[in-house]
Amino acid sequence: MTPGLMISAPASGTGKTMLMLGLLTALRRRGLVVQPFKSGPDYIDPGFHLAASGRASFNLDAWAMEPGRLIAHATGQPPADLVLAEGSMGLFDGVATKGETGIGSSAEIAQMMGWPVVLILDVSGQAQSAAATARGFATLRPDLPFAGVVLNRVASPRHDRLIREGMDQAGIRVLGSLPRQGNITLPERHLGLIQAEETAGLQAILDHAGDFIAAHCDLEAIIAAAAHRALPEAPAPRPLTPPGGRIALARDAAFSFVYPHVLEAWRRAGATILPFSPLADEGPDDSADCCWLPGGYPELHAPRLAACDGFRSAMHRFAGTRPVHGECGGYMALGAGLVDADGKRHQMLGLLGLETSYAKRRMHLGYRRADPLSALPGLGRTALRGHEFHYASILSQPDAPLARVTDATGAAVEETGSHRTMSGGGHVTGTFFHLIAPAAT
């Protein structure tokens, strides 16, 4: 394995992404080839990793992926000099009930791969006490490798000296100290960061991050801290079968949330992916044998989608004879209508009867296990694991349920998905969760 590091923090909002992007940019400038990963189910951060590193970033998810899949993802990428994995939430945070490998924490991935943790700490409002937090994270699990800390939001040189004194006494190595006034922010919306391809001036932001991290972190020490361990024997993962040999994939600002490892698995299985843009009033390529509408932000583009008559008619022709599947935003677009945040209803494709609304925002967030009641394209009735994150409410879901869906605790959720068989033999399916992997257990 390539030696690596896990970039983590005690909590969300501490500066993980800024540190990750700055390191990827600064190390790339040095001529290093860095392979990025993202711990957990986030599908937005990998796009920023790609922009900063020039390499596709893949998710490593201990709840949704069995050990063999995690190992295959970690070892199956092209050669690199270094691995950097960005954690999610706090280092030890996950769900209450174990999934395929664990509870979904970044610590589980770091421990399994032997990637030492670089912990970024927000030290505003404290001094020597920060060492107690760092020491707790470094020693809570003796088998978890720990490289050191990067201090964030440091107020002054005096503040920095006081914190370093505490870290020295606690035996914690300081790998960087980031002054408060230099913090870098990325634009956000309700699901987190604005997507990389939508972020204006992204290269300038990455350049700034690279300069900032290179100026205030010990890059040589960080590179030297990277490590790995011998991986355990594990069965090969269950195949992530493509939904067709030629897959028409909606791909634009309204439909962009699809896990990179899913597309990679389809390509490795020999499938050809044929992108098209609903927002440009395009329909699926007629040579395709399946159409897939990923998640995204259809609510932000609902008036424009409603006016795309060419897209609508092409989708109806396609769905008459071939399978069509939508995930989350794609599922909403397959429905009859979508009510926006202002309470205005917009006509959607009408291939399913689903009606959704953003007029009263309600967060739906969490891991999902689905046991299909009807076949999904390429996957049949294989049990699946995925993740759901949106703010839409269901007004009507009249079609037959697609699956029995439960959360990470095994409790049933109302977002069962839908399916409908068309008169010409086509089959339309949709789910609110994003597929991560077939369930091994």
Side-chain angles (χ1 to χ4, degrees):
M1 272 191 68
T2 302
L5 295 164
M6 174 64 72
I7 309 301
S8 193
S12 297
T14 310
K16 289 190 303 288
T17 298
M18 177 269 297
L19 177 59
M20 177 74 171
L21 297 181
L23 284 173
L24 288 174
T25 302
L27 296 176
R28 187 181 185 185
R29 287 175 180 169
R30 288 190 165 207
L32 293 179
V33 177
V34 183
Q35 174 60 54
F37 290 99
K38 174 66 183 181
S39 175
D42 185 287
Y43 35 69
I44 295 179
D45 286 346
F48 287 92
H49 297 174
L50 169 62
S53 70
R55 303 262 294 206
S57 177
F58 297 92
N59 297 76
L60 299 171
D61 194 304
W63 187 87
M65 297 177 178
E66 68 272 40
R69 191 175 305 278
L70 293 171
I71 292 169
H73 284 194
T75 61
Q77 308 313 319
D81 298 309
L82 182 70
V83 161
L84 289 183
E86 181 181 353
S88 59
M89 302 184 295
L91 177 61
F92 299 106
D93 294 335
V95 294
T97 304
K98 183 178 178 181
E100 296 286 349
T101 301
I103 63 170
S105 74
S106 304
E108 291 167 329
I109 300 298
Q111 192 279 331
M112 180 181 188
M113 303 300 172
W115 295 335
V117 173
V118 174
L119 194 77
I120 183 165
L121 288 174
D122 180 350
V123 296
S124 55
Q126 59 182 321
Q128 291 94 331
S129 295
T133 299
R135 184 167 175 79
F137 274 85
T139 60
L140 182 64
R141 293 190 186 173
D143 60 346
L144 179 65
F146 193 86
V149 297
V150 172
L151 312 177
N152 194 19
R153 303 187 178 108
V154 178
S156 65
R158 178 178 177 275
H159 188 204
D160 180 71
R161 287 194 301 273
L162 291 173
I163 296 169
R164 286 177 183 269
E165 287 175 8
M167 294 294 174
D168 286 344
Q169 292 173 12
I172 302 297
R173 187 174 191 184
V174 176
L175 297 168
S177 181
L178 309 179
R180 180 186 297 165
Q181 64 269 21
N183 287 340
I184 297 153
T185 59
L186 292 164
E188 297 187 18
R189 63 164 64 106
H190 57 270
L191 295 188
L193 296 177
I194 299 290
Q195 300 168 89
E197 56 265 38
E198 294 181 276
T199 301
L202 177 57
Q203 189 56 54
I205 294 172
L206 295 176
D207 289 341
H208 182 196
D211 292 342
F212 184 55
I213 295 303
H216 299 287
C217 289
D218 186 341
L219 295 184
E220 295 298 339
I222 289 172
I223 294 168
H228 66 88
R229 63 170 43 125
L231 295 173
E233 293 290 332
R238 296 187 68 170
L240 189 51
T241 311
R246 294 177 63 80
I247 306 163
L249 179 73
R251 193 72 169 170
D252 57 26
F255 303 98
S256 58
F257 295 162
V258 61
Y259 288 112
H261 74 269
V262 173
L263 299 183
E264 180 69 13
W266 291 352
R267 291 190 180 101
R268 288 187 178 185
T272 299
I273 297 174
L274 305 166
F276 70 99
S277 171
L279 289 177
D281 206 17
E282 297 172 355
D285 193 302
D286 199 51
S287 70
D289 48 22
C290 174
C291 180
W292 194 277
L293 301 184
Y297 293 109
E299 72 276 17
L300 301 181
H301 305 277
R304 188 171 166 188
L305 286 172
C308 288
D309 295 329
F311 167 55
R312 180 179 296 104
S313 60
M315 287 296 298
H316 276 263
R317 286 194 303 272
F318 192 97
T321 58
R322 285 161 285 186
V324 173
H325 181 73
E327 290 187 324
C328 201
Y331 178 33
M332 296 181 220
L334 289 173
L338 186 153
V339 178
D340 64 23
D342 296 325
K344 183 178 179 181
R345 183 185 182 275
H346 304 275
Q347 180 184 3
M348 293 290 104
L349 291 171
L351 291 170
L352 293 170
L354 178 73
E355 294 269 355
T356 50
S357 174
Y358 285 84
K360 292 184 179 180
R361 284 162 52 93
R362 178 188 166 201
M363 187 171 70
H364 301 260
L365 171 65
Y367 286 119
R368 300 290 184 257
R369 178 191 166 104
D371 292 280
L373 303 171
S374 180
L376 278 84
L379 296 164
R381 293 182 61 176
T382 300
L384 306 171
R385 290 186 184 265
H387 188 262
E388 180 176 348
F389 188 12
H390 63 91
Y391 285 86
S393 296
I394 298 173
L395 301 180
S396 177
Q397 193 172 248
D399 296 296
L402 177 62
R404 186 177 74 87
V405 182
T406 55
D407 65 15
T409 69
V413 298
E414 65 174 341
E415 296 88 359
T416 61
S418 303
H419 74 94
R420 180 185 289 184
T421 300
M422 312 301 283
S423 59
H427 194 214
V428 181
T429 56
T431 66
F432 272 108
F433 71 86
H434 297 258
L435 169 67
I436 296 177
T441 58

